[in-house]
Amino acid sequence: MSMQISSKSLAAIFFLHLFVLTHSFGQSAIEKLPELILNYNQAFPWEKVYLHTDKPQYYSKDTIWIKAYGILEKEEKTANTSSVPLYVELIDPKFQRIAAEITIKMDQGNGRGDLVITEDLTPGPYTLRAYTNYMKNFGGEAVFHKDIWIRDFIPGQSLGYTEGSDLQLSFFPEGGVLVDGIKSKIGIKASEPGAKGIASFGYLFNSKMDTLLRFETNPMGVGSLSFVPQINETYEIRAKTKKGPWQKFRLAAIQATGFVMEVDPLSNIENINITIQHNSGDTRDLFLIGMSKGGLVYQKQMDAKRNQQVSIPKDDFLPGLVSFYLMDTETNILAQRLVMLHPFSNGIGNFLTDKSSYQTKDTVELEVEITDEFGRGLPGDFSVSVLDSYQVISSLKEDNIFTNFHLSSETSSEIENPFHYFDPENPYAARDLDDLLLTQRWRRFSWENLRLLDNRSVHYIEEGLSLSGNLSGMKKDNSHRLALLINPFSGEPIFHEGDTDPEGNFSFRGLEYYDSVGVFLQAYIPIEKGKNTWKVLKKHEVNLSKVEKPVLENRTFATLPTIFYYTDDDAYLVKVKKVNDMLDQMRKFRDIELGEVTVTGRRSNLVPDKRAEFYQNSPYTSLEITEEMHAYQNIFHFLKTKLGYKVIGDEFSLSPPPILTLRSGSLNTGGVRFIIDGKPTFNNLLAASLPLHQIERIDILRGPNVPSIYGANSEGVINVLTKSGNPNPDFSKLAITGNATMVAKGYAPVRDFYTGPDPEVPLGMDYRSTLYWNPEIRTDANGKAKIIFQLSDGDSEVWVRLEGLSDAGEPVFVMHKIKVGEK
């Protein structure tokens, strides 16, 4: 299989953007390129998010604890993401469905949440994905994915693929194609049918079956070979794995003419050497383009000589991935190559424990110091998990925030054991990384994405939750007034006003609410132009839009570990399994026992209702709202029609809201004062917008029982007590109906991880796999912080895993091992 580079001209794309270029008249396409890329990079910086979870494997009824990090990269600048809602979903690949989802509220690039694994999820691989609204501009390329295991505790279980007899080889010519008579380097990816990389070796033969060379791939299946192809020859590769049979493969067809760009970032410490060769009679000028972090960082015009070399100082580039393109004057891409320059050091973690050795149930005091490669302290925000390493596989080589932000988030496919390519103890790390990049393309920038500069319907950066929709069947250029009520199932209602555009579209942005809420939208149009009279739209004329979700993409799960982890003769794991089974039985018996208890009388755990305590819960009149009263439009309509109270203004209006009077005289007092659940409102607007079905009762205060805080001249007070404001609500009665309604989910409530052992677990039976989780570790100016946690009954090895971002935006990952039970 060969990877072909498209020679599609970008001139058509550039033509669409002439209006954004101030000096484009008379310029060629290549001359317009720098300004066009600059405009794109300024308008569409690359956003990255990462989820640090407490562990990579979970059991049924377990909790996935999450710390989210987000950054925006605009050329050399890195800043915390401005996106606030982060959408996190647990994908069940077996049924191609979203098994669970939450929205995490981000604050200055940090957020936290958790997902509970329900019993109905079958064991197997799952994917956590995370994205913001802004990321939808770039399709699935920008979405964060993390593969996890959900499994039963079964001895003899394998967490990964078993080695099969079928070997798959993919070939990636450097620059894109093989050209007659020009030496080319070819990247190789060896994998099993499940896309898992595998070590292999093989030979390259010509048509006479002469052996031209031998090659081999690393344990992740990555390698390379170099040779001079001839167009009048055919080539065959024979390769095998350690246990599999020999298999035959053929290279892609060889082109008679073309360009080859060889990029060598390894042989010279200070410079990167680029050699350009071609065998055509083409006399066009050539242009070498280098892009990094979305911006144009290098550009050089070259003549059409058949062989030429350029040596570029590495210090001219920022650290990270650089994508080199060879173009002609019409921006046709002739060759391209992705390389890593300055694979800089990760933050260094130093750990100082309060004791030299630990026993089960000990309390560990651990001082953490995070420094850069020069020993300077790194202040920043981090998260820490402490794991029983005998129960949880947590490898140094797996993806982490450092490898994700620098590699995995910018390359086109899943990277197995990415830390292998940055490991300072791996002497082949740089070579293997360069071979890996031969098999990848750059994810963060696509020439087709330049279309976003002309797209008026781009996805914006959300600074809060959003609710949008449209009014159907409305005439254009009409005024459309909207009233939005967000009714939490616990807490106070939230009210917003807005207007539609001339086509009837609307969007409420920057909203903030938590957990499940009822959404009620009331829409009005003017009865007569120029007059402040409005009528309510019919229910079917108001449409609330569903949130657009990225397409569910297939995963190969190549990043999951390949290991036979549980064995029948592993005494420790067998013991843990027996203890967990006993605890499950205890919980089941307890649930059954509690289920058989019959409770009579009033609930003894009622929370005091303080909404009416300021008038000793003794109103002048109290009226319970029953189901037959729900037909009234609002409280003003109800009090006027049902009870005969006088309403000044239109009882259906929200702009301005009406006034209720209990007297027949003047309105010097401003009418009745409305309060909601015992708390004053700014005006009558919120009371007017509440649907009757959301009101529990109405307390009317008059005369002596009007509290003095409302003044002697107060005409009266009406306390509207809502169902959601009741501290002891009956959630089954919280119906959501109205002009346009829906149940929406807001930000996930933040829960704290219980840092000690479960108090209901008997002594000697505490075998937690996650001993400690803290998503809010802040290092001081010297890069120091302290964590304290208690060990379990497990006589095992404990891994401390720290991930996060320094204040400068640099990702940091460190691990520390603690032995338990050794003197």
Side-chain angles (χ1 to χ4, degrees):
M1 170 180 170
S2 64
M3 181 180 70
Q4 300 291 329
I5 296 298
S6 171
S7 61
K8 173 185 177 182
S9 173
L10 301 176
I13 298 176
F14 294 159
F15 178 77
L16 297 175
H17 303 94
L18 292 180
F19 71 97
V20 301
L21 303 175
T22 57
H23 303 290
S24 62
F25 195 81
Q27 290 179 310
S28 66
I30 198 69
E31 291 172 320
K32 301 166 192 167
L33 182 63
E35 191 171 354
L36 181 61
I37 293 176
L38 176 63
N39 290 340
Y40 174 82
N41 186 259
Q42 293 296 318
F44 295 97
W46 189 247
E47 186 178 35
K48 297 180 182 179
V49 298
Y50 176 81
L51 301 184
H52 176 197
T53 58
D54 62 311
K55 56 192 174 188
Q57 300 105 38
Y58 295 88
Y59 305 107
S60 177
K61 296 179 290 186
D62 216 338
T63 299
I64 304 173
W65 297 96
I66 299 170
K67 174 65 177 289
Y69 299 90
I71 60 174
L72 272 176
E73 289 185 344
K74 186 180 294 186
E75 295 184 352
E76 73 277 5
K77 297 180 180 179
T78 299
N80 294 326
T81 180
S82 302
S83 293
V84 177
L86 177 67
Y87 306 98
V88 179
E89 298 163 351
L90 179 64
I91 308 299
D92 181 351
K94 184 176 181 180
F95 299 102
Q96 280 289 294
R97 68 185 180 104
I98 299 174
E101 58 185 316
I102 58 173
T103 302
I104 291 177
K105 182 183 179 183
M106 302 290 284
D107 182 14
Q108 299 296 312
N110 291 273
R112 49 186 287 208
D114 64 89
L115 278 168
V116 177
I117 299 172
T118 56
E119 290 185 84
D120 63 321
L121 296 185
T122 57
Y126 287 76
T127 297
L128 277 172
R129 73 172 184 177
Y131 57 89
T132 65
N133 182 63
Y134 174 71
M135 286 179 172
K136 297 174 188 176
N137 289 308
F138 314 101
E141 294 283 84
V143 175
F144 170 84
H145 291 87
K146 181 173 189 172
D147 298 326
I148 62 173
W149 274 98
I150 297 176
R151 53 187 166 82
D152 293 330
F153 205 122
I154 305 172
Q157 179 185 5
S158 170
L159 294 187
Y161 305 102
T162 58
E163 184 176 306
S165 59
D166 292 331
L167 172 66
Q168 298 175 348
L169 283 187
S170 300
F171 304 102
F172 303 84
E174 183 174 28
V177 295
L178 295 176
V179 180
D180 179 37
I182 301 179
K183 185 177 181 180
S184 294
K185 187 175 183 180
I186 302 175
I188 302 173
K189 183 67 170 75
S191 60
E192 298 175 288
K196 193 76 173 178
I198 188 170
S200 66
F201 66 95
Y203 298 88
L204 174 65
F205 299 95
N206 62 16
S207 59
K208 298 178 182 179
M209 295 306 295
D210 296 328
T211 302
L212 301 183
L213 55 85
R214 182 186 185 276
F215 69 90
E216 62 181 87
T217 63
N218 67 14
M220 283 75 70
V222 175
S224 65
L225 58 86
S226 297
F227 82 113
V228 180
Q230 303 293 332
I231 195 169
N232 57 351
E233 268 284 8
T234 57
Y235 299 94
E236 181 180 285
I237 285 180
R238 296 191 180 185
K240 71 184 299 294
T241 62
K242 183 178 180 181
K243 297 180 180 179
W246 287 99
Q247 294 179 239
K248 299 178 182 180
F249 304 90
R250 287 195 177 276
L251 293 178
I254 299 164
Q255 293 189 3
T257 60
F259 291 79
V260 172
M261 179 173 64
E262 178 189 358
V263 182
D264 177 11
L266 302 179
S267 60
N268 191 298
I269 297 178
E270 297 181 352
N271 299 321
I272 179 171
N273 297 318
I274 299 178
T275 302
I276 298 171
Q277 301 179 71
H278 70 95
N279 61 359
S280 70
D282 202 323
T283 59
R284 292 172 294 176
D285 286 338
L286 303 177
F287 293 84
L288 182 61
I289 303 297
M291 294 187 64
S292 175
K293 299 187 183 300
L296 184 65
V297 295
Y298 181 83
Q299 183 176 11
K300 181 179 177 60
Q301 182 175 352
M302 310 175 75
D303 58 33
K305 292 179 181 178
R306 286 186 170 231
N307 298 289
Q308 50 189 315
Q309 186 179 70
V310 59
S311 185
I312 311 170
K314 294 180 180 179
D315 288 341
D316 291 350
F317 298 88
L318 291 171
L321 287 174
V322 180
S323 189
F324 285 101
Y325 301 89
L326 182 65
M327 295 180 173
D328 61 17
T329 55
E330 296 304 317
T331 68
N332 294 304
I333 299 175
L334 307 175
Q336 66 179 17
R337 174 77 147 85
L338 188 62
V339 297
M340 176 74 76
L341 295 182
H342 307 289
F344 41 82
S345 300
N346 183 20
I348 300 169
N350 300 308
F351 295 86
L352 179 63
T353 56
D354 60 325
K355 294 193 296 185
S356 58
S357 62
Y358 293 93
Q359 302 301 309
T360 60
K361 291 295 189 184
D362 279 354
T363 297
V364 179
E365 294 188 13
L366 184 64
E367 185 179 86
V368 182
E369 182 184 30
I370 307 299
T371 63
D372 61 15
E373 59 267 35
F374 303 108
R376 299 172 297 195
L378 288 177
D381 292 300
F382 303 94
S383 44
V384 171
S385 61
V386 180
L387 306 173
D388 181 340
S389 68
Y390 287 7
Q391 296 187 58
V392 179
I393 305 171
S394 189
S395 170
L396 271 171
K397 294 182 179 180
E398 68 190 33
D399 202 18
N400 56 62
I401 193 170
F402 175 81
T403 58
N404 186 275
F405 277 5
H406 291 320
L407 181 64
S408 306
S409 64
E410 300 207 1
T411 50
S412 56
S413 62
E414 301 169 45
I415 307 296
E416 298 174 54
N417 296 331
F419 193 73
H420 168 90
Y421 303 101
F422 297 93
D423 187 353
E425 297 182 3
N426 176 14
Y428 307 109
R431 181 204 66 186
D432 287 354
L433 176 58
D434 196 52
D435 285 347
L436 171 72
L437 294 177
L438 283 170
T439 71
Q440 302 292 314
R441 62 175 176 80
W442 203 23
R443 176 186 298 185
R444 69 178 297 154
F445 181 84
S446 168
W447 295 106
E448 285 73 20
N449 281 348
L450 294 174
R451 73 189 188 284
L452 293 173
L453 288 172
D454 270 348
N455 193 342
R456 298 182 181 180
S457 59
V458 295
H459 296 279
Y460 58 91
I461 290 180
E462 284 185 306
E463 296 181 354
L465 298 170
S466 303
L467 290 170
S468 60
N470 62 80
L471 309 182
S472 61
M474 303 309 302
K475 295 180 180 180
K476 292 185 178 182
D477 302 324
N478 269 347
S479 298
H480 306 83
R481 181 63 54 83
L482 299 170
L484 176 70
L485 178 70
I486 298 172
N487 189 21
F489 292 151
S490 62
E492 298 181 22
I494 306 167
F495 181 79
H496 296 275
E497 278 192 298
D499 298 284
T500 71
D501 65 15
E503 284 73 36
N505 301 309
F506 60 85
S507 181
F508 290 91
R509 300 180 181 180
L511 306 176
E512 181 173 348
Y513 50 90
Y514 290 81
D515 214 348
S516 295
V517 298
V519 176
F520 172 82
L521 183 66
Q522 192 74 59
Y524 300 81
I525 62 170
I527 297 175
E528 295 183 53
K529 286 190 176 182
K531 295 186 178 181
N532 196 22
T533 55
W534 303 78
K535 74 171 183 178
V536 182
L537 291 185
K538 297 177 182 178
K539 185 173 182 178
H540 68 275
E541 294 176 332
V542 183
N543 307 300
L544 284 168
S545 302
K546 291 184 178 180
V547 176
E548 178 187 347
K549 295 180 179 294
V551 175
L552 294 180
E553 298 183 348
N554 293 327
R555 299 286 292 171
T556 67
F557 298 105
T559 60
L560 290 175
T562 300
I563 185 169
F564 286 95
Y565 189 54
Y566 298 114
T567 57
D568 293 310
D569 58 354
D570 191 320
Y572 177 78
L573 294 177
V574 170
K575 180 180 180 180
V576 172
K577 182 181 185 309
K578 289 180 178 178
V579 169
N580 287 340
D581 288 343
M582 291 174 61
L583 291 175
D584 281 342
Q585 289 298 318
M586 288 174 57
R587 294 187 180 101
K588 288 177 181 178
F589 286 140
R590 182 191 62 193
D591 292 341
I592 293 172
E593 191 175 58
L594 289 175
E596 293 175 348
V597 174
T598 301
V599 180
T600 60
R602 295 180 59 85
R603 285 159 50 191
S604 60
N605 61 341
L606 291 177
V607 178
D609 189 347
K610 299 181 179 181
R611 297 176 296 167
E613 67 177 3
F614 67 94
Y615 51 90
Q616 290 77 49
N617 204 19
S618 299
Y620 176 81
T621 302
S622 184
L623 184 63
E624 183 180 355
I625 302 299
T626 58
E627 188 172 352
E628 60 268 18
M629 301 174 186
H630 294 173
Y632 292 96
Q633 187 69 43
N634 59 22
I635 193 172
F636 289 94
H637 185 210
F638 169 73
L639 292 174
K640 176 183 177 181
T641 306
K642 183 72 173 178
L643 301 183
Y645 290 136
K646 185 177 182 181
V647 174
I648 307 300
D650 183 357
E651 66 263 33
F652 304 116
S653 173
L654 292 181
S655 180
I659 297 173
L660 180 74
T661 176
L662 303 181
R663 301 177 183 174
S664 58
S666 67
L667 292 176
N668 293 333
T669 61
V672 172
R673 306 284 181 87
F674 278 89
I675 59 178
I676 308 293
D677 289 325
K679 297 181 179 180
T681 59
F682 178 72
N683 54 32
N684 293 349
L685 192 59
L686 184 56
S689 63
L690 275 173
L692 263 290
H693 71 269
Q694 295 181 1
I695 299 176
E696 184 180 84
R697 79 173 196 263
I698 298 171
D699 284 356
I700 301 175
L701 314 181
R702 296 187 66 178
N705 72 344
V706 175
S708 59
I709 57 174
Y710 294 103
N713 295 326
S714 177
E715 183 177 337
V717 175
I718 292 182
N719 187 10
V720 181
L721 293 97
T722 66
K723 293 177 181 178
S724 61
N726 190 331
N728 306 287
D730 182 353
F731 291 105
S732 65
K733 296 181 180 180
L734 292 178
I736 303 298
T737 62
N739 192 233
T741 60
M742 64 183 295
V743 175
K745 278 202 169 186
Y747 296 119
V750 175
R751 298 194 303 159
D752 291 326
F753 179 88
Y754 187 72
T755 57
D758 188 339
E760 297 184 0
V761 173
L763 292 175
M765 298 181 68
D766 176 20
Y767 286 92
R768 292 164 288 147
S769 56
T770 300
L771 281 68
Y772 178 77
W773 167 254
N774 190 337
E776 295 185 341
I777 299 292
R778 175 71 193 177
T779 54
D780 60 20
N782 298 314
K784 294 183 178 181
K786 179 177 284 188
I787 61 175
I788 301 174
F789 59 91
Q790 185 177 351
L791 297 172
S792 67
D793 291 311
D795 187 3
S796 65
E797 184 179 81
V798 171
W799 276 107
V800 180
R801 183 183 179 108
L802 179 145
E803 299 188 51
L805 291 171
S806 72
D807 288 348
E810 287 296 333
V812 176
F813 163 74
V814 289
M815 288 184 72
H816 178 69
K817 180 171 64 177
I818 297 176
K819 292 294 292 183
V820 181
E822 291 188 348
K823 296 294 185 182

